[in-house]
Amino acid sequence: MKEASFVKKTEAFLKKLDFDVVKKSFVFDDLDSTNSTAKDLAKAGGTEGAVVIARIQSHGRGRFERSWESPEGGVYLSLILRPSVPRQNTSLLSFVAALAVTKSINTYGVHATIKWPNDVRVNGRKIAGILLESEGEGPTINYVVVGIGINLAIDLKKLSADLQTRSTSLVNEVHHMVDYHEFLRTLFMTFEHYYTVFEEQHFGEIIDEWKTYSDTLGKSLRVRTMTETLQGTAVDVDQSGFLLLWTASGETKKILSGDCLYFDELDHT
């Protein structure tokens, strides 16, 4: 999509949407980071349902402040949410987002799966990532920013050499063009469905469906957290989205976040 027309077309498209999850929009041609902008808006009192969208990002971010390469042809957006659920359950919003992205991709006849904690993959290659950032005090959550990056129609050759071998795009998988705004419509519709389930605190329903798309459970893997590296078998996720890892020592470790590496894919990592 041409630079000059992206903002105009996307703003016009969003005005016609009738989804509660999208109440206000901020659309940019070139932005440093949709998550950073959404966080600033949230701190300034931005309403739930405000969405920040960019055609490209110059400093897109993933977990642990890693760079998220964001060339033209991707979906880059961040939603401001202020959920009325216990704070310990807000981590499940990554499951909500992963399900929305996975189901949207699958409507194109592509079999996408979810790698804990926040990657969506096709045939073992990353097609999308999710970044949650939040602020709260005690049991109260002030806001959660849900960042989503999807390789919709990017030219994989524009990614760094290392990412090219581990990434794919929807267009690369279906071998034909995909309408950006129609995909966005499907994504918001699906996200709204799962966010409603989340707000109604039917967490078990979200977790059970997430498990049907997971390619992590049952795998032997290595998880690198901020403090340690663990090895074992992914046996389950609990009601807060923690990964339950059965280690060789016979312990079950609960892990909220980390880099998950499958033993059977280590040669390709």
Side-chain angles (χ1 to χ4, degrees), residues 69 115 121-127 151 154-169 172-173 265-269:
E69 296 183 20
K115 180 181 181 181
R121 312 195 310 165
V122 174
N123 296 321
R125 291 178 173 238
K126 188 169 180 175
I127 196 170
N151 298 339
I154 67 171
D155 180 354
L156 297 176
K157 293 179 182 177
K158 292 185 177 181
L159 298 176
S160 60
D162 178 53
L163 288 182
Q164 286 180 34
T165 62
R166 298 185 286 115
S167 304
T168 190
S169 71
N172 188 64
E173 296 297 326
E265 295 179 4
L266 284 177
D267 289 341
H268 310 289
T269 300

Side-chain angles (χ1 to χ4, degrees), residues 28-29 62 102 112 121 128 134 147 159 164 166 183 232 238 261-262:
F28 300 86
D29 182 67
T102 301
R121 312 195 310 165
S134 63
L159 298 176
Q164 286 180 34
R166 298 185 286 115
F183 182 88
D238 69 9
L261 305 173
Y262 299 164

Side-chain angles (χ1 to χ4, degrees), residues 148-198:
I148 297 174
I150 305 170
N151 298 339
L152 191 71
I154 67 171
D155 180 354
L156 297 176
K157 293 179 182 177
K158 292 185 177 181
L159 298 176
S160 60
D162 178 53
L163 288 182
Q164 286 180 34
T165 62
R166 298 185 286 115
S167 304
T168 190
S169 71
L170 184 54
V171 165
N172 188 64
E173 296 297 326
V174 298
H175 307 295
H176 61 72
M177 290 307 299
V178 175
D179 185 273
Y180 176 93
H181 294 109
E182 285 307 308
F183 182 88
L184 214 56
R185 183 192 306 277
T186 301
L187 179 64
F188 284 136
M189 178 178 65
T190 313
F191 190 99
E192 179 161 286
H193 166 72
Y194 287 108
Y195 187 56
T196 299
V197 175
F198 173 83

Side-chain angles (χ1 to χ4, degrees), residues 95-143:
F95 285 37
V96 168
L99 281 168
V101 171
T102 301
K103 299 265 285 197
S104 297
I105 290 171
N106 287 351
T107 63
Y108 291 83
V110 173
H111 180 58
T113 59
I114 304 169
K115 180 181 181 181
W116 183 91
N118 66 343
D119 289 349
V120 178
R121 312 195 310 165
V122 174
N123 296 321
R125 291 178 173 238
K126 188 169 180 175
I127 196 170
I130 295 150
L131 175 64
L132 259 59
E133 296 185 285
S134 63
E135 186 176 276
E137 297 176 4
T140 304
I141 193 75
N142 294 332
Y143 69 81

